[in-house]
Amino acid sequence: MGKGSKKTKGSRAGDQLDSSDTDSVSSSSTAMSDFTPVYMTEQVTSNDFVLDKLIDALYEKRGSTRENALVGLVDAFESFVLLPFVENKCATLSQLFINSIKKGSAKETILASRAIGLLSLTIGGGTSSHEIMEESLPELCRILAGSDQSKMPAVLDCLALVTFVGANDLDETEAALKAIWEVIHPKSGSNVGTVKKYRPPVIAAAITAWSFLLTTISNWRRNPESWKEHIMHLSTLLESEDRAVRMAAGEAIALLFELNLLDVKLAEESPAEKGPKYQLFIYMQGMKAKVTAQIDTLASEAGGKGADKKNLNDQRELFQKIWDYIKDGWSPEETVKISSKLGILRVSSWTELIQLNFLRRFLGRGFLKHAQGNSLLHEIFNFGVDKTEGLSNIAKKIYRSEEEKERALRLNKDRKIAQAKKQSILIEQV
């Protein structure tokens, strides 16, 4: 794959936590292993009686009872695509989960946040998911504005997911992006001169959630002026002592490049005038050059930054992929085998890779089950229909061979466009 011959699977920056920060919270999926559910004396299945029993327990006053019920429901949401069960209970479940966030312990909040995200993924786009987003957003933002950082990674995941699925327009998406960005780049309040400090795992989770949600704006607003602060701060985060933060920031920068959010066109303005647009062009070109140099350094880092050395190779591979994309137009590629019938899920862009990694991490062991039976994932990744059904074995081979040829031609075309774009930028700089 071009220069990146040493590359393996795409790195998942949101999963990488600083092992030296032993008192910090891990991801919400890791938190699940801390619970042994009372109600799991029999394996949770799609049986309505068992699920109704777990839902009833959410009305109990005792927090530990609600926690154990949430564990059972989370397990069921992961293990099965429960759309028939939740269609008529969506509003009730959403309100119960939000109540657990309002009044529960940190453990209950983490579980309830995960449950809301899973409910939204299960119900899919539409009126119900939009209502989930509207009702949960105030409580999620309240926690992000608070001081208990142990809850925040799970809440950030939930906020990104419910908005990803439920948002109807750009304003709703921008509101969530802004709330998440305030964790990534906190500002001093009006009455207090100090800036809020977040732990590295929270910052890494926030960048990952922000990038995931940013993948949805590709056909919306692209004003480079709006992204000056973002590229500048992400460049700063590439120098973080925490490897997970560096990797998350790198993926976010790759996405900004892919979405052309940093591009400034000068076709209608003479550079000799050196007006505001020209100044913005010079600024963005300088920032592009700066982050490109930073990415090159991180792709070949010898170690020394941060205490955790075990993920150094993941960092090198990730930043080599980013370097290959920025310099030569080589898009990242990854495949996941879903089933013999549905075949292989292929991604070949930073947008798709960030979506895949986020959903694969969030769903954990339930990813394949949802990839096989959840129509929302089929819609996101544009797969799920067996186009070879009814064809003979020879016809299937011919069809898939032609499909591979078309894909190769498309990738080559994308690379040529990226290289031509790079050449035009160099000419403009001269």
Side-chain angles (χ1 to χ4, degrees), residues 78-239:
E78 289 178 350
S79 302
F80 305 95
V81 181
L82 297 175
L83 182 58
F85 178 78
V86 302
E87 278 181 317
N88 296 324
K89 297 180 174 68
C90 187
T92 299
L93 285 168
S94 176
Q95 195 55 57
L96 286 169
F97 295 156
I98 292 170
N99 287 340
S100 284
I101 291 177
K102 285 181 179 179
K103 63 185 180 182
S105 63
K107 290 180 179 179
E108 187 173 351
T109 297
I110 290 170
L111 285 161
S113 298
R114 182 162 177 75
I116 291 174
L118 288 164
L119 176 62
S120 187
L121 280 174
T122 299
I123 205 71
T127 302
S128 294
S129 59
H130 186 258
E131 289 173 355
I132 292 171
M133 182 199 71
E134 288 188 315
E135 292 170 2
S136 61
L137 189 63
E139 282 303 311
L140 298 174
C141 290
R142 179 185 64 80
I143 291 174
L144 293 181
S147 58
D148 189 349
Q149 296 192 31
S150 67
K151 304 175 182 179
M152 291 184 185
V155 167
L156 287 160
D157 279 355
C158 180
L159 175 57
L161 267 173
V162 297
T163 308
F164 183 94
V165 179
N168 285 339
D169 54 44
L170 177 60
D171 289 340
E172 291 175 340
T173 301
E174 284 189 331
L177 284 168
K178 181 179 178 182
I180 298 170
W181 184 256
E182 287 174 359
V183 176
I184 300 170
H185 191 199
K187 311 287 180 60
S188 59
S190 57
N191 299 321
V192 183
T194 58
V195 177
K196 195 169 185 178
K197 298 288 186 182
Y198 292 97
R199 296 173 181 171
V202 176
I203 297 173
I207 301 170
T208 301
W210 185 81
S211 299
F212 173 68
L213 192 51
L214 189 65
T215 63
T216 65
I217 75 160
S218 59
N219 295 320
W220 290 347
R221 189 176 305 159
R222 292 184 178 182
N223 177 12
E225 183 73 37
S226 304
W227 304 99
K228 286 175 64 176
E229 174 190 325
H230 300 84
I231 186 62
M232 180 172 64
H233 189 62
L234 289 170
S235 172
T236 300
L237 292 177
L238 289 179
E239 304 294 334

Side-chain angles (χ1 to χ4, degrees), residues 54-62 66 92 96 103:
L54 295 169
I55 293 171
D56 289 342
L58 294 178
Y59 291 95
E60 296 293 330
K61 291 184 178 180
R62 183 174 295 178
R66 297 194 304 270
T92 299
L96 286 169
K103 63 185 180 182

Side-chain angles (χ1 to χ4, degrees), residues 22 43 66 126 178 189 243 267 318 376 392 404 426-428:
T22 56
Q43 183 180 3
R66 297 194 304 270
K178 181 179 178 182
R243 180 164 288 121
L318 171 65
L376 177 63
S392 66
E404 284 296 320
L426 291 174
I427 293 170
E428 286 176 343

Side-chain angles (χ1 to χ4, degrees), residues 280-316:
L280 179 61
F281 171 79
I282 294 299
Y283 175 83
M284 284 302 191
Q285 291 300 104
M287 287 305 305
K288 287 181 181 181
K290 179 181 178 183
V291 298
T292 301
Q294 290 175 299
I295 287 164
D296 186 24
T297 299
L298 290 166
S300 56
E301 182 187 336
K305 286 190 177 181
D308 182 13
K309 300 295 191 292
K310 66 184 177 68
N311 294 315
L312 178 59
N313 286 337
D314 288 340
Q315 174 187 293
R316 290 170 177 162

Side-chain angles (χ1 to χ4, degrees), residues 4-23:
S5 59
K6 62 181 179 181
K7 300 190 291 295
T8 57
K9 288 186 178 180
S11 152
R12 289 178 283 175
D15 286 342
Q16 311 302 322
L17 303 182
D18 187 351
S19 61
S20 64
D21 191 4
T22 56
D23 63 335

Side-chain angles (χ1 to χ4, degrees), residues 251-270:
E251 287 189 332
I253 289 170
L255 183 62
L256 291 178
F257 272 87
E258 182 174 86
L259 297 178
N260 300 316
L261 296 176
L262 309 178
D263 291 352
V264 181
K265 298 186 183 300
L266 294 176
E268 302 300 325
E269 183 175 350
S270 172

